[in-house]
Amino acid sequence: MEATTKITQVDGCGFTSSELEQFHAFYKYPWSTHSLSDASLEEKLTHYTKHHPDASLSRLQQWLESTQNPQAQLYERFRAFDFASAPGFHALLAKVYGDKEVNKHDIEQRMERAKVEYYSGIEQMDYGEYVAYKESTAPKAQCPYQHLWQGDQESSPAASKEVGHVRVLDLTEFFGSPVTADAMDRLARAVGEAGQDPGCHAVAVLSSSSSGVFLPALDSGDLAAARRTLRARLRLEIALRQLNAEKPLVVFANGSVHPSAFSLLQTTRETILSEEFSLQPASPLPYALYNWAHLSDAVAPGTAEYALGHRALTIRGGEWQGELGQGCGFVGRRNWEPSKSRILLAASCPPPHTRNALRQACLVESQYPGPCRIGVWKKEILQYFAPLIQPSSPEGSTYGAGELVRELGKADKPWARKYVEFGQAVDGRRQWELWVVALRAARDMEYSQALALEYNLADALWGSADAGDIACAEQLVRRAANGPSLSEILGSADSAPNNTHAAVVADVPAECPFARMYRQDPARFAHIDLGALSLHHAKLG
């Protein structure tokens, strides 16, 4: 627009030209780019002043509040009322929580109805009118001079990169099929930028693709490409874990996940799974060793070996979240989009409460994942697969893939025949034996050591046609464990994106074993006064 001195003052609005200039800049701001088109005035003011600290918009807010109609002022008083300390209000909560089969999504609506019922005794207020008012009045404040510049606004990009204070990373914008090293390096840089952005409270990873694929296969077109891609996956995995240590990272997994990219899904506990989620774990290469080795034993020891036992086994979202304890929520197909929006809204909560608000939202939105499909085999897993996790005896004898195939053959049951067929095939036997031995080694390793083992094993298998021989599995894993460290692997000439930064710090801490056990079964530690322990350690420190 032209200079602000050309604007004719409106009666009752004694704004100076300087104030008008600031107000117009505020309203011409590309709100849709930041997913704030429908935000309240307060939310817009908070966002704008945070990114424009020199702006002074307090008089604009006062003017807009003074022009509210009586009905709006009534509802403002209602929303500001302290119901927590209101005498007699708690007696109405039976209507909110009294139904044993209450739908979690109805709780908020019931609570609002109970508040209106109580407040009507103070000021006359109709619930239906209140709901209609909320639906018909979007909280979009209008500048008193908006008609002078409204047609002058620039169009904003359709794709939003931020929802509130949550940075959204859409995998569709980074990954093709297969996933290349350059694509993962671009995503790693975006992750790093989100970690450095003070206005970003949380990061969400999702896919807007309708192909039904969430994480495609990694590029393995030739030996050099395969090595570059695996190194890029390690860098990206570490970047995501480091980000999650600083601010919450939530992943919305709504499609199939290829085994080669599986460990990217495991960089955070805040993973929401949909009905479309699926993972086919069997793979000739030992991908995601650390994650499989430390898979929750919510069902039974040996569950990872059971899952990796034949190519036809596909793990669905309900099993992965409900039975194996991976992820923090499961959402049905019909509720996927609205639940995602509500979770992203909760993740906009400012720190230090962001992570807790996110987890509470995931808990509320999560639904029953369906009947048990893995836990029903607990007895069989303990009998046949749990012995696979034991190390070799001093005499050299061990329970491996060969012994398992023989034992399952004796069982002569339909479910066991699939494993026997897989283990009797030459390639299946080699794959299974290597997985068993590698998982034994990875269970005693730190995160960075397991990543190095995974890379060295893959590199050996790519470089030698005989490396997968059954008789060489123990020797192959031993050599890989003593091979180059993660720092050396990531410090190679072509490992850093554009060679612009040093090797990624390798020693990313793993989850404390006690914390993992407590997370799986809190009741197991009910007799321990954790508060007293924390106070004791604080005094020692």
Side-chain angles (χ1 to χ4, degrees), residues 55-92:
S56 177
L57 305 172
S58 59
R59 293 194 66 217
L60 171 66
Q61 183 177 12
Q62 293 173 6
W63 182 85
L64 290 167
E65 290 174 348
S66 69
T67 58
Q68 284 185 338
N69 60 44
Q71 186 183 35
Q73 293 175 352
L74 166 64
Y75 296 146
E76 285 295 324
R77 292 193 296 272
F78 164 72
R79 284 190 284 264
F81 187 76
D82 183 11
F83 289 94
S85 59
F89 175 72
H90 291 283
L92 298 177

Side-chain angles (χ1 to χ4, degrees), residues 49 70 93 137 143 154 228 349 379 431 453 460 476 528:
T49 53
L93 296 184
T137 56
C143 171
E154 297 180 0
R228 283 197 303 272
C349 178
K379 179 180 177 181
Q431 174 184 323
L453 174 64
L476 179 63
I528 300 176

